[in-house]
């Protein structure tokens, strides 16, 4: 009896590993199909959508066809969001380049401000795709909601940052694991933690409403 339980758990783990590797491969392929610039955002949305369904125990969906369907459906909307995030990233990078060229008393002040803004942008990036696949908003409201979640629930944000750093370090030191699981592994962790937060918020609203 006990051995069958362990075999069931082992099979479940192997199934998750296979699924994550497969969806990570699709993420890389479809990102490339969009020439990276136009493929990254819709491919990431498709990946998060699938992982969200898995976490909700909808494990019998056809992965390839569902990924492609979501990729096509969200292509323009996801790219509009991705374009905004890309512009913000470029502006922050240019600001950094400008600040490091400044000498004198203003350097630490400006650098401190930039680090603060960069951290806030990081919180948005952590929540933006879980929010995207969870809610149906207009583009700018996704950014606003991700920002509010990040600053309103700092414990969840810090856990996300810590796990993201761990996944990044593992991927750097073990290239094979990074190639197979970086995107899907990171999205799984972010979606899992976000789901905990979404459920908590839903319960809070239910209590208030009652």
């Amino acid at each position: 009896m006990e051995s069958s339980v362990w075999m069931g758990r082992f099979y479940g783990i192997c199934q998750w590993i296979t699924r994550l590797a497969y969806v990570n491969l699709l993420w890389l392929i479809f990102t490339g199909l969009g020439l990276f610039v136009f493929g990254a955002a819709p491919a990431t949305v498709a990946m998060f959508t699938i992982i969200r369904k898995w976490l909700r125990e909808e494990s019998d969906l056809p992965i390839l066809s569902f990924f492609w369907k979501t990729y096509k459906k969200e292509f323009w909307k996801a790219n509009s969001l991705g374009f905004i995030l890309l512009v913000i990233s470029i502006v922050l990078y240019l600001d950094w380049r400008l600040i490091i060229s400044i000498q004198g008393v203003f350097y630490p002040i400006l650098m401190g401000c930039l680090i603060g803004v960069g951290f806030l942008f990081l919180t948005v990036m952590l929540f933006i795709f879980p929010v995207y696949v969870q809610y149906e908003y207009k583009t700018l409201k996704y950014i606003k909601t991700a920002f509010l979640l990040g600053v309103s629930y700092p414990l969840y944000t810090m856990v996300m940052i810590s796990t993201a750093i761990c996944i990044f370090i593992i991927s750097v030191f073990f290239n094979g694991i990074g190639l197979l699981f970086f995107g899907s592994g990171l999205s799984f962790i972010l979606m899992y933690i976000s789901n905990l937060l979404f459920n908590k918020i839903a319960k809070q609203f239910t209590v208030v409403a009652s």
Side-chain angles (χ1 to χ4, degrees):
M1 183 69 178
E2 185 176 349
S3 61
S4 62
V5 172
W6 280 105
M7 285 299 295
R9 291 177 179 175
F10 178 74
Y11 174 76
I13 293 172
C14 291
Q15 194 174 40
W16 268 106
I17 291 173
T18 304
R19 288 174 180 171
L20 289 174
Y22 183 36
V23 79
N24 193 82
L25 177 62
L26 292 177
W27 175 63
L28 293 173
I29 291 173
F30 281 86
T31 297
L33 285 177
L35 302 177
F36 297 96
V37 175
F38 299 105
T44 303
V45 167
M47 178 171 61
F48 270 89
T49 302
I50 287 177
I51 290 176
R52 176 177 177 270
K53 286 189 172 294
W54 287 345
L55 291 173
R56 291 173 172 261
E57 299 183 356
E58 299 178 39
S59 56
D60 57 344
L61 70 155
I63 297 175
L64 177 58
S65 60
F66 188 84
F67 195 105
W68 172 236
K69 178 182 177 181
T70 306
Y71 182 90
K72 290 190 298 181
K73 177 185 176 184
E74 303 294 338
F75 186 85
W76 296 110
K77 185 178 178 181
N79 268 312
S80 65
L81 177 62
F83 177 75
I84 294 173
L85 297 175
L86 178 62
V87 170
I88 295 174
S89 300
I90 293 173
V91 170
L92 289 175
Y93 173 75
L94 294 176
D95 286 341
W96 174 73
R97 295 285 300 191
L98 177 62
I99 290 172
I100 61 175
S101 67
I102 296 175
Q103 302 294 329
V105 69
F106 291 107
Y107 173 79
I109 298 174
L110 293 173
M111 184 58 72
C113 292
L114 181 62
I115 291 173
V117 173
F119 181 80
L120 293 177
F121 180 64
L122 175 61
T123 64
V124 170
M125 292 299 294
L126 291 171
F127 282 99
I128 193 69
F129 288 106
V131 168
Y132 187 103
V133 301
Q134 179 73 15
Y135 303 110
E136 189 68 32
Y137 291 148
K138 293 183 178 179
T139 302
L140 292 179
K141 193 171 181 181
Y142 287 120
I143 298 175
K144 177 183 176 181
T145 304
F147 172 77
L148 291 175
L149 288 175
V151 298
S152 300
Y153 298 90
L155 179 60
Y156 287 85
T157 302
M158 295 310 298
V159 172
M160 281 182 162
I161 292 174
S162 300
T163 53
I165 291 173
C166 290
I167 292 174
F168 178 76
I169 292 174
I170 292 172
S171 300
V172 169
F173 283 96
F174 302 95
N175 295 331
I177 294 177
L179 182 63
L180 288 174
F181 299 106
F182 176 74
S184 59
L186 182 59
S187 61
F188 173 83
I189 293 296
L190 297 182
M191 195 69 243
Y192 180 83
I193 297 172
S194 296
N195 261 339
L196 296 177
L197 179 55
F198 296 149
N199 292 335
K200 178 181 178 179
I201 294 172
K203 289 179 181 178
Q204 289 175 343
F205 273 104
T206 300
V207 171
V208 171
S210 61

